[in-house]
Amino acid sequence: MSIDDTAGTGADNPADDTSGAPVDSPFRHERTARDEAPQFVLPLVVRIEKAAPPTRTDALEAAARAVLVMLADERSTGDGEWARAMRDWQDARIRKVVRRARGAEWRKASLLPGITVGGPADAGPTDTGPTDPPQAAEDGPVFAPYAEVRVFPPIPLDGWPKELAKLQVSGTDLDDPEAPPATDPPGPDTPVLWLSPDLGMSAGKAMAQAGHGAQLAWWELSETERKVWREAGFPLAVRTPDAARWRRLTGSGLPLVRDAGFTEIAPGSSTVVADHPALRR
């Protein structure tokens, strides 16, 4: 399972676009000056144990939070150890790649510098410490109690560490045992990343798109609004609205991700609306 938001099956292609994006936006699908800069990618690895994978929605929400945690981490700003890589990544195209790991692969990936998002409700992001997978039951499929996604500092396109380069990039998808409610997200003050009801995206594709939506919301918020969201632990929900609500959302002025169409879906498709309460018009 993977998605490079600028690529189709591993080739380097222009990035996604956002509604009303400025000429030099990293999300425009047209070629811009950003294409001349050195290109970096933000790696995300989702833990998928064969006996007990995470649910699809949990994985999407963990991926979105992982992007936010990386953006907000003190090592990513100012003179932090990851700050230069983060600036270089955001000065070029915004590329995200999702790969999967389990067992020893996950443990090895967890030893690289990065942040793991996901865990019990009272646990925050961690730098190390993979946990044991849940055990499968004999009477049916078992889902992990929560999704785990590890995000790493941006790396050059050709600079993948061996522990990540060998991870699988395709062949696995995720399901929800029950569809999340489309019209009743958890509370009016919870930010919601709305996925298009018209598109059939793989879990990897949707995880990257959710990450885009979260990043667009972060960029639009004031420093005070960012602090409130960060201190609350980046609560958010990923939901798929009905067609009528989707039409209203795409015309609302909220941050909107459009896809360049190099993987899975048609060029210009609207994929995610980032509905943060502080951004509602």
Side-chain angles (χ1 to χ4, degrees):
M1 171 195 332
S2 78
I3 178 62
D4 177 344
D5 55 87
T6 66
T9 62
D12 296 337
N13 290 313
D16 291 357
D17 183 22
T18 56
S19 181
V23 170
D24 67 344
S25 168
F27 289 100
R28 291 185 66 89
H29 65 270
E30 299 92 344
R31 188 171 182 84
T32 73
R34 289 179 180 271
D35 294 291
E36 307 307 320
Q39 300 296 302
F40 288 75
V41 61
L42 186 77
L44 297 105
V45 175
V46 56
R47 184 183 187 183
I48 303 180
E49 297 294 341
K50 186 175 181 180
T55 67
R56 180 185 174 95
T57 295
D58 281 354
L60 267 59
E61 292 174 352
R65 284 195 298 273
V67 172
L68 292 166
V69 167
M70 176 57 73
L71 289 167
D73 194 280
E74 63 182 9
R75 289 165 291 186
S76 297
T77 61
D79 295 325
E81 61 186 286
W82 299 339
R84 174 63 183 271
M86 290 292 288
R87 287 193 296 270
D88 289 344
W89 172 59
Q90 293 180 89
D91 284 345
R93 293 292 187 178
I94 301 300
R95 302 169 184 254
K96 299 180 181 75
V97 172
V98 177
R99 299 185 179 221
R100 61 184 173 91
R102 66 172 182 253
E105 294 174 334
W106 173 257
R107 290 189 290 273
K108 289 178 181 178
S110 295
L111 297 178
L112 296 177
I115 306 169
T116 296
V117 172
D122 58 350
T126 61
D127 285 351
T128 60
T131 56
D132 292 331
Q135 297 300 308
E138 295 181 357
D139 56 352
V142 171
F143 291 94
Y146 47 80
E148 292 180 87
V149 173
R150 189 164 180 84
V151 59
F152 304 86
I155 57 176
L157 286 180
D158 58 355
W160 285 80
K162 62 181 181 181
E163 294 87 349
L164 302 184
K166 65 182 181 181
L167 295 180
Q168 293 293 321
V169 297
S170 63
T172 301
D173 211 335
L174 299 172
D175 297 309
D176 283 314
E178 297 180 4
T183 58
D184 187 25
D189 296 327
T190 300
V192 181
L193 302 173
W194 296 100
L195 297 181
S196 170
D198 303 322
L199 304 173
M201 292 185 283
S202 69
K205 178 79 169 180
M207 287 174 70
Q209 298 296 313
H212 290 339
Q215 187 167 1
L216 288 180
W218 178 257
W219 282 346
E220 291 289 327
L221 294 174
S222 69
E223 288 299 326
T224 298
E225 292 162 345
R226 290 179 179 181
K227 181 179 179 181
V228 169
W229 200 9
R230 180 175 62 249
E231 291 181 348
F234 291 120
L236 58 84
V238 175
R239 296 291 186 267
T240 302
D242 58 31
R245 186 170 197 165
W246 179 248
R247 287 194 295 272
R248 293 194 298 272
L249 286 164
T250 55
S252 67
L254 291 166
L256 172 65
V257 179
R258 294 185 186 274
D259 192 75
F262 295 105
T263 60
E264 301 188 22
I265 56 179
S269 298
S270 299
T271 60
V272 179
V273 172
D275 182 9
H276 191 291
L279 301 180
R280 291 171 187 159
R281 308 302 191 253

